[in-house]
Amino acid sequence: MRHLLFLLPLTAFAASILDHPTGPRMTPPTLNVITPVGIARGTTVELTVEGLNLAKASAIYFSEPSVKGTILRVKELPDLPDIRLGSNGTPSTVDVGPLPPRNQVTVEVDVSPDAPIGPVSFRLLTPLGTSPVGRFLVEPYYGETANREPDDTLEEAVETYLPAILTGTISKPGDTDLFKIEVKAGSDLTFDNPAGEVGSTLQPVIAILDDAAKVIAEYDKTMFSHHFDKAGTYYVRVADFQENGKSSHFYRIKVGKFPIAESAWPLGLERGKAREVALKGWNLPAAMSVTGNSTGEDENAVIFRPKGSFNELRLAIGDEPELDASPANTTLAAAQAVSAPVTINGRIAKPHTQHFYRIHARKGEKYTIDVNARRLGSELDSVIDVLDATGKPVERATVRSLTETSTTLSDRDSLSSGLRLLSWSNMEVGDYLMLGAEIARIAAIPNGPDEDVRVDSINGQRLAFFDTTPEAHAIDQPVYKIQIHPPGTKFAPNGLPVVHLDYRNDDGGPGYDKDSSVRFTAPADGDYIVRLADVRGAGGDRFPYRLTIRAPRPDFRLAVSPRNPNVPAGGCIPVRVSALRMDDYDGPINVEVLDLPSGLHATKAIIQPGEVSATILLSADAGAKLDQAAALKVKGTANSITHWANPEDKLKLIALGPKPDVLTNTETKVVEIVSGETAKIDVRVQRQNGFAGRVPVAVHDLPERVKITDVGLNGVLLNEDESQRTFTIRALPNAEPMERTIYLSGMVETRSNQQNAYAAPVPILLRVKSK
């Protein structure tokens, strides 16, 4: 069965490559369809991969060493209909050139008998570089039963014999698939549908029906077990939760009596120490001993597979002494006394339950209070508060509103970095905004009335400050420019709100999922209470947590994008390295690429204090040779701390591509600009390989208080008939003096979602001076 991984963007035109008005362009390798999606371990099968520009694919790389592959053949396929939709669902007017060749790559895949069951990722290597990640499932050696339409009634149900893997696609709205099974009395059958791990968009609802079509149980989880009291004929019904249907709504449901682990308790261990871990799942031992030693790339996690289990579990590793929560700590009077540093393993076992912990602190002592639950598979959506010894919230700061405006045009979710405001007069980059209970910080002011105010974000997620939580915001919601003052500060009334901000957090921000985190500074000597609960008032067996109270430990984590840079021969590309700063670490982070093959080069960069990313340039000599992809190793160092970017990703690869369609050059080498004033930058591009299209230009690592002013609707853009452009930058009046290296890149617009930007090899030195 064929399953669509993602829809390719295609454009409407009928010209051939030879006579296309903007000429050919190099579209990075693109994956479309992978068949099959599941492969039994201990077998050798042919895997077919369809996509664009996969001709002459020469190698395949897997995330699992127990999976091997050899490319057997590559053939060209007929073109698909050439229709490309824009972001609003209508045909796009952006010219992305002629349709690239569509290819099918056939790979002989050999899966070891002891290969771990679960998802496996891969990339293909082509003369244009490596492909995006494709995925399939390694499965047990069960028979596969595919749905067969029509199968919506008991009479039409597809009969299967257990154990089996039920496969199919809910391809149209309202569709359901039925399978017929025979069960013995007292049977306990386990169901597991991991299709979401390889790209399925189905929100499965699996029902068990008796032979009279009566629903006896219904499950909306990916794994569960069902007990059958009576022997007889039963039916398994698969549907989508929203009764939707499309080609990516596929499923692969293992059904049988097999071991699978749902969770473990506690959720973590002290580093280097062993303890008995209770297992929750089916057909497993009740417990096993686990030692807190890292077993993979993540130094703060141990990944283990209970004996015989079809899946793995992940436990956190902590450096603080550990203890278990007292079952009586559910009231303020019975708060459990703990001494920091400490990690407490607990569980919100009943709905509407709160847990209380008492710590003693001296005035000015700082503590980081973290919850680790949702990130480890718990269903807890935590919220934490810091109270004084009497149970009163401890005030963190006083927030004074200075000016008022409101949101307009449309509602915004809790992730977006853009906020459309009715007015932004008297606002500057770096100002704090209060929207409901959220505090954000302005990163960019609009150039015109049809733009958003941009606030700080990282990896596409909006940042909230002072441990507030990003929220969704409806149209016409009040927005205040604010100042932050010490607790208890008094002001003359100005008609706008004054808010007393307490030590409280719901969601900790990027990297925390639904887990909470508070940075607490004790205002006086004394006892303080940490209160933890589920923000919805929920509770039960699936609500465990790890609560850590410790002194701040400034740290960071790194991510690199793209993770598979395809470096053109004789060209240069930008690579973005982003930092997730932890425990208020605000210092510089030095980043570099190590162990590059001969003929490839990389610049070094510094993620500046207070900033979250920096750009590295990767370049290749015109005569560089690279027969296979090489590992992408990006290291970050700050003080004595060293981390690698995306250590969990085993498919970070550098590959060599042909010469680029565009060479970007900076006519300007040094720019000096005075705060509040403007300066000019010249950029020039040279088109190659017959490419004649437009070239959008990006500026990388521009300080947040220096902005491009004449961007128009399409940013800095060189049209088809242009090879040079001068644009203006402006230093805001509050821009601080600095010296910074910035980079320019020109982009070729293609049908691939992979990066196709080519950087100028020589950076620009930017100097900002005080007025």
Side-chain angles (χ1 to χ4, degrees):
M1 182 173 294
R2 294 164 53 153
H3 298 297
L4 191 65
L5 282 188
F6 51 83
L7 296 177
L8 292 174
L10 303 172
T11 188
F13 73 99
S16 69
I17 291 179
L18 294 178
D19 60 4
H20 192 275
T22 59
R25 64 193 70 199
M26 187 164 49
T27 299
T30 305
L31 302 186
N32 186 5
V33 177
I34 296 172
T35 310
V37 174
I39 302 175
R41 61 181 176 181
T43 63
T44 299
V45 302
E46 289 191 0
L47 179 79
T48 61
V49 183
E50 294 181 13
L52 301 180
N53 273 347
L54 301 178
K56 297 183 180 179
S58 58
I60 186 168
Y61 302 90
F62 296 99
S63 60
E64 287 294 335
S66 54
V67 179
K68 310 292 183 184
T70 303
I71 293 178
L72 299 178
R73 55 189 175 272
V74 182
K75 68 177 183 179
E76 189 165 340
L77 300 175
D79 291 340
L80 293 171
D82 197 11
I83 302 171
R84 192 177 72 87
L85 300 180
S87 59
N88 60 356
T90 60
S92 173
T93 59
V94 176
D95 178 11
V96 291
L99 187 68
R102 186 166 71 101
N103 307 104
Q104 182 187 78
V105 181
T106 302
V107 184
E108 184 178 79
V109 176
D110 181 49
V111 181
S112 169
D114 58 357
I117 289 173
V120 172
S121 302
F122 69 86
R123 293 189 194 272
L124 289 171
L125 177 64
T126 78
L128 300 181
T130 58
S131 72
V133 166
R135 294 182 177 88
F136 61 85
L137 292 168
V138 171
E139 298 174 326
Y141 196 78
Y142 288 176
E144 183 175 316
T145 302
N147 78 305
R148 181 182 63 249
E149 297 292 348
D151 59 357
D152 298 334
T153 66
L154 299 191
E155 293 75 17
E156 298 166 331
V158 178
E159 187 171 5
T160 187
Y161 300 93
L162 303 181
I165 300 175
L166 313 182
T167 70
T169 303
I170 305 300
S171 57
K172 58 185 180 180
D175 187 23
T176 61
D177 291 345
L178 275 172
F179 296 88
K180 180 181 178 181
I181 59 176
E182 297 291 332
V183 176
K184 295 180 180 179
S187 296
D188 290 288
L189 292 183
T190 306
F191 295 72
D192 178 33
N193 176 35
E197 299 181 60
V198 291
S200 173
T201 55
L202 180 70
Q203 298 182 57
V205 177
I206 302 173
I208 310 297
L209 288 68
D210 62 17
D211 56 4
K214 178 183 177 182
V215 176
I216 58 176
E218 197 169 61
Y219 302 90
D220 60 359
K221 301 183 296 182
T222 58
M223 62 174 70
F224 62 90
S225 181
H226 183 80
H227 178 75
F228 294 84
D229 291 324
K230 300 178 181 178
T233 300
Y234 292 86
Y235 298 85
V236 179
R237 186 180 68 196
V238 185
D240 180 66
F241 176 76
Q242 296 181 329
E243 298 187 359
N244 198 352
K246 52 184 175 180
S247 58
S248 59
H249 276 15
F250 63 90
Y251 56 87
R252 299 188 65 84
I253 305 171
K254 296 190 291 288
V255 185
K257 188 173 182 178
F258 52 84
I260 191 164
E262 185 180 35
S263 62
W265 194 92
L267 295 179
L269 309 160
E270 188 174 349
R271 191 178 303 277
K273 295 187 177 181
R275 72 168 291 176
E276 198 79 358
V277 173
L279 299 176
K280 183 176 178 60
W282 302 277
N283 307 308
L284 294 171
M288 63 179 291
S289 178
V290 180
T291 303
N293 293 327
S294 173
T295 54
E297 302 291 341
D298 188 348
E299 63 188 19
N300 295 313
V302 52
I303 298 173
F304 69 100
R305 185 181 294 267
K307 185 176 181 180
S309 176
F310 278 11
N311 67 326
E312 295 176 329
L313 293 176
R314 178 178 180 271
L315 299 180
I317 298 176
D319 294 306
E320 292 75 30
E322 301 207 0
L323 55 86
D324 293 343
S326 165
N329 68 343
T330 55
T331 65
L332 179 68
Q336 183 175 352
V338 298
S339 299
V342 65
T343 292
I344 307 144
N345 295 294
R347 188 194 316 267
I348 302 296
K350 297 180 180 179
H352 307 294
T353 300
Q354 299 176 340
H355 286 186
F356 297 83
Y357 298 95
R358 184 183 302 272
I359 61 171
H360 184 82
R362 296 185 179 276
K363 181 178 180 179
E365 284 186 335
K366 296 183 177 181
Y367 292 93
T368 295
I369 306 171
D370 281 342
V371 175
N372 199 345
R374 186 64 67 95
R375 290 169 289 172
L376 295 170
S378 171
E379 295 185 12
L380 179 70
D381 185 354
S382 62
V383 58
I384 50 179
D385 300 83
V386 180
L387 316 174
D388 65 17
T390 67
K392 179 182 177 182
V394 179
E395 186 175 338
R396 175 183 196 143
T398 303
V399 178
R400 186 190 190 199
S401 303
L402 302 179
T403 61
E404 179 181 5
T405 183
S406 62
T407 56
T408 188
L409 186 64
S410 63
D411 300 341
R412 297 299 166 100
D413 60 24
S414 61
L415 299 177
S416 172
S417 63
L419 301 170
R420 186 62 61 90
L421 301 184
L422 193 62
S423 170
W424 53 86
S425 59
N426 300 320
M427 292 184 182
E428 295 181 340
V429 171
D431 285 345
Y432 289 109
L433 301 179
M434 182 171 64
L435 309 86
E438 174 187 356
I439 296 177
R441 188 173 66 182
I442 296 176
I445 297 292
N447 291 312
D450 196 30
E451 294 183 22
D452 291 343
V453 170
R454 294 286 170 184
V455 297
D456 286 347
S457 64
I458 183 171
N459 296 333
Q461 185 173 347
R462 190 165 73 243
L463 290 173
F465 290 80
F466 306 102
D467 293 335
T468 59
T469 299
E471 303 173 340
H473 300 292
I475 191 171
D476 295 329
Q477 180 179 353
V479 178
Y480 302 96
K481 174 184 171 179
I482 62 170
Q483 287 179 337
I484 307 295
H485 295 272
T489 306
K490 304 295 184 182
F491 310 100
N494 63 359
L496 297 176
V498 173
V499 175
H500 298 281
L501 191 66
D502 298 329
Y503 284 103
R504 175 184 173 87
N505 180 256
D506 178 3
D507 298 339
Y512 278 85
D513 197 356
K514 295 291 185 180
D515 293 337
S516 307
S517 183
V518 165
R519 311 298 183 260
F520 172 64
T521 302
D525 292 357
D527 287 352
Y528 295 91
I529 305 295
V530 177
R531 179 175 62 190
L532 184 151
D534 184 273
V535 72
R536 305 156 299 180
D541 288 344
R542 295 188 176 91
F543 290 74
Y545 64 83
R546 282 169 65 81
L547 174 66
T548 299
I549 306 172
R550 56 174 171 78
R553 191 166 54 237
D555 204 347
F556 65 90
R557 297 290 183 270
L558 289 183
V560 60
S561 178
R563 296 190 194 179
N564 65 319
N566 296 321
V567 188
C572 183
I573 63 170
V575 173
R576 181 184 177 92
V577 183
S578 301
L580 174 63
R581 296 179 179 271
M582 306 168 69
D583 279 12
D584 297 325
Y585 176 68
D586 203 32
I589 303 171
N590 297 286
V591 293
E592 59 182 327
V593 182
L594 299 183
D595 299 337
L596 282 172
S598 176
L600 271 66
H601 313 279
T603 61
K604 297 181 180 181
I606 300 175
I607 303 177
Q608 299 290 343
E611 299 187 3
V612 296
S613 67
T615 299
I616 284 176
L617 299 185
L618 281 177
S619 60
D621 298 338
K625 302 293 182 182
L626 189 60
D627 295 332
Q628 58 185 2
L632 173 62
K633 301 177 182 178
V634 179
K635 185 178 77 170
T637 305
N639 299 326
S640 59
I641 304 172
T642 296
H643 290 297
W644 299 88
N646 304 109
E648 76 291 345
D649 188 349
K650 300 176 183 177
L651 289 176
K652 301 189 302 297
L653 298 171
I654 300 174
L656 190 65
K659 70 176 185 178
D661 290 337
V662 165
L663 293 176
T664 307
N665 291 290
T666 54
E667 299 290 307
T668 305
K669 307 303 180 187
V670 179
V671 175
E672 293 190 349
I673 186 170
V674 177
S675 299
E677 298 184 3
T678 62
K680 301 289 186 181
I681 292 179
D682 294 317
V683 59
R684 184 177 297 277
V685 299
Q686 176 185 342
R687 294 173 177 82
Q688 303 189 125
N689 304 330
F691 170 66
R694 71 179 195 174
V695 180
V697 174
V699 183
H700 306 271
D701 294 1
L702 199 65
E704 64 177 14
R705 293 179 185 176
V706 178
K707 59 189 298 186
I708 305 171
T709 61
D710 52 349
V711 294
L713 292 176
N714 298 299
V716 179
L717 179 68
L718 279 74
N719 292 308
E720 291 85 349
D721 58 349
E722 296 177 320
S723 60
Q724 187 273 337
R725 169 78 189 272
T726 300
F727 60 94
T728 304
I729 61 172
R730 177 175 179 264
L732 300 180
N734 62 347
E736 298 177 352
M738 68 173 67
E739 188 168 283
R740 171 74 59 85
T741 300
I742 61 175
Y743 305 87
L744 268 59
S745 68
M747 185 175 73
V748 175
E749 296 163 309
T750 73
R751 299 161 189 272
S752 172
N753 59 1
Q754 292 207 83
Q755 174 177 290
N756 220 26
Y758 304 103
V762 179
I764 298 173
L765 179 61
L766 172 67
R767 294 193 183 105
V768 180
K769 298 183 177 181
S770 299
K771 189 158 187 173

